[in-house]
Amino acid sequence: MEFDLSEEQVMLRDTVRSVLTSAYDVERLRAVTDTDLGWSREVWNSLAEIGILGLVFSEDDGGMGAGHEELSVVMEEFGASLAPEPLLGSVVVPGLLVAATADDATRADIIGGLSSGERLLAFAHTEAGDRWPHAAVATTATDGALTGTKTLVDHGDCADAFIVSARDADGAVGLYLVAADAEGLVRTAYRTHDRRRGAQVSLANTPGIRLGSGDASQIIADVEVSTQSALCAEAVGATTRTLEMTTGYLKSRKQFGVPLATFQALAHRAADMFASAELARSMSTYFTASLADGDYDPIIASRAKLQVCRSARHVGQEGVQMHGGIGMTAEYPVAHYVSRLTAIAHTLGDADAHLARLSGSIKDWDMVTVG
Amino acid sequence: MQLRFTPEEEAFRTELREFFTTEIPEDIRRRNAEGKLKYPEDLVTTTQILNRRGIAVPAWPVEAGGQDWTPVQHHIWREEMALNFVPDLLPFNAGMVGPVIAHFGNDEQKEKFLPVTANLDLWWCQGFSEPEAGSDLASLKTRAVRDGDHYVVNGQKTWTTLGQFADWIFMLVRTDPDVKKQAGISFLLIDLNTPGIEMRPIQLIDGSHEVNEVFFSDVRVPVENLVGEENQGWTIAKFLLGNERSGIARVGFTKTKLARAKKLAAEITTPTGTLLDDPAIASRLADLENQLLALEITQLRVVAGSANGKQNPASSLLKLRGSQLQQDAMELLADIAGPDSLPVAGVDAALANGTADVDSPVWAQLAVPDYLNYRKVTIYGGSSEVQRQIIDKAVLGL
Ligand SMILES: Cc1cc2nc3c(=O)[nH]c(=O)nc-3n(C[C@H](O)[C@H](O)[C@H](O)COP(=O)(O)OP(=O)(O)OC[C@H]3O[C@@H](n4cnc5c(N)ncnc54)[C@H](O)[C@@H]3O)c2cc1C
């Protein structure tokens, strides 16, 4: 077994880390997330230059040909620095869908644009009342014209085109490429509590181009599993950083004439936070490794996300508590991490949802076979 | 043992409920239920209606405008307020400075301040904490130096809740730096219009502005604004903080949140029924309801046992567990909101604290900001860690 990163992966991590840490401290982060776009074009271009945007796509399509392990390495750095650039929402998720469905020419065209940072897509899938694992897809496609409303489109505010899931006349779910300025498309942009962006997109007889044929449900499910893995890695980065910030604060903040770290009541809880963070890292690593093996197993996804959500909440809440009043403020980063971790939990299933999935199929497996 | 309320207590409850539901404007109670109170108007209106009836400050001494109620009646009053979404009274007036002036103030101070404090004609804020003096409150540095018939105050206070609406601030200041730190502190009342005071907002993580920093440079405060004796401030502070803790369990508030969580979970459909049928959500709710019942009965035991008017050290337990349950309820609501909790504002309205004009319900859009905001309740009013130490020392003798 091999849990350490390869030399190339370490280089990748260090490169991304240096771009993001030189781009963001809490003040610059707040300044950027306050703009209408909510993220920085400049940082985006740097990420494109070092190949991060094309990381997971094949070289033939204009990408780097790297895989899930590399994506996890990058997402962990995004989590650690709270970088708001929409790598997942605008590139990876829609790009993987395109890679799995589009014909050669379309694929190379779209993915080339995503990798270079010129194109921004968004996956318009969720509808009102949907929550993972259930997506009803009531949006219809009739002769290439789409009608319906897609809510909670991650970074749909800045996308120049959408990948829209819609139900064909025969009941199959298809994926359609729809330009943002297509006729009958109206988008309402919003801000999220973790200072990101999204949009609600309504379509009325809006023209779209179907990507591939047949039912895309399994493709969507597989891409969701990949996304969950990326989110787990991002959460691990944010959790680890929250722990570091908290232990740093315990060492520097003095009350009663001594550093907070000298109070055992706090120090022991920091040890528990450490345990939580490491368990999350283990499950995230296990999940990523399973994907690297080509195993898109939703049960593994649920196991990992359950642990990651639990750890993230524990570490986040303790992080704020141990900072005292300072932890509640917008000027200090710790609560921003908690907000992001909460948003990650609520994307593609929180701990309760994954626990429900696991408990619903508890009879289907044995953890060990004894005797 | 007598678990049930007496018929008189039940009648008292009914009378209060009737008053709250007919006299406190419906729209104020609705805004309170939704977590969108208008400050300061809603609080002023409510307080003045209650005060006309003589029930705005029942815990004060009778001669100061309080009520001769039993501890159980106080409990019922507090609970009925919460269950009917009557906004909490401004704690700085009703729970803190009012009782302090009533107990430690001189006649002029009582006459000048008590009626306006009860009626919220004068809005108070609390100037205890400083950047370097949080849990270790006694290490505060803001200096007050006697100069003829004035004190000259220099220093900084922080975390002053709702200070932006306040007329006056009650402060702990250091009047003697050369003695043991608890011994050199005094309790001072300061008009915020006095020259030399500057207040700056602190933005919290949920975008709200409810706390402030306050800076004092050569602020001249008449000596008549000293409450009690010079250097007696720590005794007064302990009295005040004891009062602060007792109302903080907020069982009634948490009940309303859990009831809401249950109702909303039952309205959210899933492929197999509603979210309330989801075993993970259902067991969380059942567990929280049970913990809340245990806390409520504990609170009643404390209430019933504190008939002689003395603070029961078990009130720390109420603060400790009550604040955790408030947080757990907010956390559950955030999880019931799930992905619909993500949008919170339109793209052009970052700081407006409004909601986004999309299909996610408004309650869901408010759920995570509320959840984040409620992380404060285990920090202020004596953090959970501080409450545990009080229990360790005063109850367990460790
Ligand atoms: C929203 C909000 C509103 C507030 N409103 C007011 C107000 O109106 N007026 C006012 O005067 N103050 C107010 N406060 C201040 C509040 O009382 C302090 O935040 C609180 O006393 C904690 O102090 P601190 O923030 O400096 O944290 P610190 O004292 O630095 O503590 C940091 C962490 O260490 C823990 N800790 C500290 N000492 C020990 C120890 N000996 N053993 C174990 N653990 C320890 C704390 O519990 C906390 O978890 C408010 C605070 C908040 C967050």
Side-chain angles (χ1 to χ4, degrees), chain B residues 274-292:
Chain B
T274 72
L275 207 54
L276 197 55
D277 303 316
D278 178 335
I281 294 284
S283 76
R284 259 172 93 177
L285 247 170
D287 197 7
L288 286 178
E289 286 181 347
N290 213 51
Q291 290 188 50
L292 191 61

Side-chain angles (χ1 to χ4, degrees), chain A residues 253 263 321-322 325, chain B residues 126 128-129 134-135 159 161 383 385 389:
Chain A
R253 168 75 169 172
F263 301 127
Q321 180 68 23
M322 295 208 215
Chain B
Q126 179 190 20
F128 281 17
S129 305
S135 300
W159 309 120
T161 297
S383 69
E385 290 73 18
Q389 276 168 358

Side-chain angles (χ1 to χ4, degrees), chain A residues 76-164:
Chain A
E76 186 178 334
E77 293 308 314
F78 270 60
S81 66
L82 278 188
E85 280 65 36
L87 175 63
L88 268 192
S90 301
V91 175
V92 173
V93 171
L96 289 176
L97 291 168
V98 169
T101 52
D103 61 52
D104 289 353
T106 317
R107 203 177 59 222
D109 172 41
I110 294 180
I111 289 179
L114 288 175
S115 305
S116 67
E118 283 147 42
R119 281 203 88 143
L120 298 168
L121 289 184
F123 181 33
H125 180 45
T126 311
E127 299 179 7
D130 284 349
R131 56 203 277 155
W132 184 90
H134 188 60
V137 188
T139 297
T140 56
T142 314
D143 300 328
L146 307 173
T147 299
T149 298
K150 296 293 187 177
T151 58
L152 307 180
V153 181
D154 186 18
H155 285 94
D157 62 310
C158 61
D160 49 60
F162 297 94
I163 307 297
V164 182

Side-chain angles (χ1 to χ4, degrees), chain B residues 16 35-36 51 55 58 88-89 99 103-104 113 139 207 221 262 293 301 313 322 343 353 359 374:
Chain B
L16 283 179
K36 296 173 106 177
N51 199 36
I55 58 170
D88 282 344
L89 293 157
H103 279 88
F104 297 92
F113 291 115
S139 69
V221 182
K262 204 170 182 171
L293 178 64
R301 282 174 55 213
N353 253 356
D359 284 348
Y374 267 70

